[in-house]
Amino acid sequence: MSSFLKTVDAISSAFGVVAALLVTSAIFVVCQMVVMRYFLNESTVWQTEYVTYVIVAATFLGSPYVLLTKGHVNVDLLPHYLPPTPKKLMAIFASVIALLFCLILAWQAYLLLGEAIEGGWVTDTIWELPLWIPYLPMAFGMALLCVQYVAEILAIAFDSRDPAPAIDYPAERD
Amino acid sequence: MDPLLIGIIAAIAVIALLATGIPVAFGLGFVSFVFLILFEGFGSLSVVAETFFAGIGEFTLVSIPMFIVMGAAVASSPAGKDLFEALDRWLTRVPGGLIISNIGACSVFAALSGSSPATCAAIGKMGIPEMQKRGYPDSLAAGSIAAGGTLGILIPPSVTMIVYGIATETSIGRLFLAGVLPGLMLTALFMAWAIFFAWRSGYDFRDKIGSFSWRQKFEILPRVLPFLAIVVGILYVLYGGVATPSEAAGVGAFFCLFLVAVIYKIVQPKKIWEILSSSTRESVMILMIIGASALFAYTLSSLFITQSVAEYIAALDVNRWVLMGMINVFLLIAGFFLPPVAVIVMTAPILLPIIINAGFDPYWFAVILTINMEIGLITPPVGLNLYVINGIAPGISLPTILRGALPFMLCMVAGIILLCFFPEIATWLPEKIMG
């Protein structure tokens, strides 16, 4: 089982890197767009849509990594004061509910992706980006998030990970 | 079933589920799914993926990761320390100059980083020991930084305001402007209280530290002024109607990364990677909540809950200020437990129609809401700033920090009351500049 956990963690971390790269690319494209629009007075075709969808892609692809590093904000007041066993049970309960949400959204995202491919949907701009491209990271990211949640639940159940969410203070950044 | 009753059950379900420690985004999303399935059948699920996607897929939202990168770049550098030192060197002869430097540095850094905990950490690391060294009480040193840090979500550019703007479809440029004077007002209130408290506890304002030479005063400016220029530049392009928030934020992020590389030599791939990956984590977290709240808002409105609650409140015909008082208490309680972004996206769709019905200005209300969220940041149980201070100043106990922060919380309440009597504090500047 620990090799399963390690593999899942590694995949999620890899997509965390992808997400950060996508965000970085958005910074450069925004700057390029500003130069084109305001300094060269040229019109831009693809930039607005690119940065919008790249941030969406980063959100979905980065989400499993954020779960792995306990970055999805929650209210941990009640779990904090519970004794170890109820705390563990509650963490498993919360994770199962979250997994259910992710499963439904992943499933619906796949249906949407299929429709977009079959219908040949494109965005209603001059760029005419096929819509399956921005939908794909949603379907894939949510599926990976489900797998990460399964790993999370197994890890908590078999005590290989502390159910208490780590609080990431920016003070610890440096 | 009566939509109002469904609404109450939904609210209880959200609170109960979030109490288990489930991530806010997934908890909200799950409750939305359950209510859609229960009241509209499984077929209604066919829109959820598109709704979630559309909630995040908006050009304006690109400004959120951009501003976060900008803040993280600045926070990773010693810019906060320099800002504090610059103010201290220039204000050393002014009575209470150190207090003014501390809170002033907080408000400027807050504008740059847009993050309350990052501001507390950046200014507090230098400011708290310095205040202790010059004999100020521990509680005041900790409290003033904790409170100063909260200005980050009010003074523009502010991620919290962007989220409000998107949730309520109001102009982000105008929201930013609305936050300027109230931000300065709170800064002044904080300073006034801190100086009064120090004076009352018999503090001798003649500083024990000698003055600084002009050379010292000037040599620090080149490290501080470029960052100030970025904030001023961002505000200028936004209000001049030159660029959209996302464009301003993207260019701001680029320049901040560039400046920390030039001024502080932060060029090592590892450090840059830390900035980018920590900002990505934070953005993903916020955007997932925004996506889930789009689902939640869709659910509430397709079950007619939003409309029914607004109608119900309007039919009550209570005095609008009693209503505002109740909304404030509600927001305050929500802010005690939840981060600002979550409170805004969850409550804005319900509250905004009520606010507008009662004749309040949505921009003025954004400021009121934000100050309420600021209070939540320095009050237990989840007052993030308190724990940050506790982390950077281990010598000061949590109860002392709490005692120090309490009067500043009252300053914020006083600020809200002032804003109720003089709404112009928030509405005058946007009116003047944007018409």
Side-chain angles (χ1 to χ4, degrees), chain A residues 31-116:
Chain A
C31 291
Q32 188 261 2
M33 174 167 79
V34 167
V35 172
M36 291 272 287
R37 235 185 238 175
Y38 301 106
F39 294 98
L40 306 177
N41 279 322
E42 280 174 54
S43 57
T44 50
V45 178
W46 53 275
Q47 287 85 343
T48 308
E49 269 183 309
Y50 174 83
V51 291
T52 306
Y53 291 138
V54 120
I55 294 299
V56 176
T59 303
F60 287 112
L61 296 178
S63 208
Y65 170 70
V66 175
L67 174 64
L68 173 68
T69 53
K70 318 246 183 245
H72 285 298
V73 66
N74 64 349
V75 185
D76 61 348
L77 195 63
L78 181 61
H80 186 80
Y81 288 107
L82 287 178
T85 311
K87 185 177 177 179
K88 185 171 146 181
L89 290 176
M90 188 167 263
I92 292 175
F93 171 77
S95 301
V96 169
I97 296 285
L99 173 61
L100 278 175
F101 164 78
C102 296
L103 280 171
I104 296 177
L105 190 58
W107 166 50
Q108 289 298 329
Y110 267 97
L111 296 182
L112 184 66
L113 176 67
E115 277 183 73

Side-chain angles (χ1 to χ4, degrees), chain B residues 60-68 159 162-163 283 286-287 290:
Chain B
T60 320
L61 281 175
V62 172
S63 59
I64 290 179
M66 303 288 116
F67 277 131
I68 291 177
V159 170
I162 298 175
V163 172
S283 316
I286 291 180
L287 290 170
I290 291 177

Side-chain angles (χ1 to χ4, degrees), chain A residues 37-38 59 69 71 73-74 174, chain B residues 21 24 125 242 247 281 285:
Chain A
R37 235 185 238 175
Y38 301 106
T59 303
T69 53
V73 66
N74 64 349
D174 45 15
Chain B
V24 174
K125 256 184 221 161
V242 181
E247 290 166 331
R281 277 185 70 211
M285 180 271 284

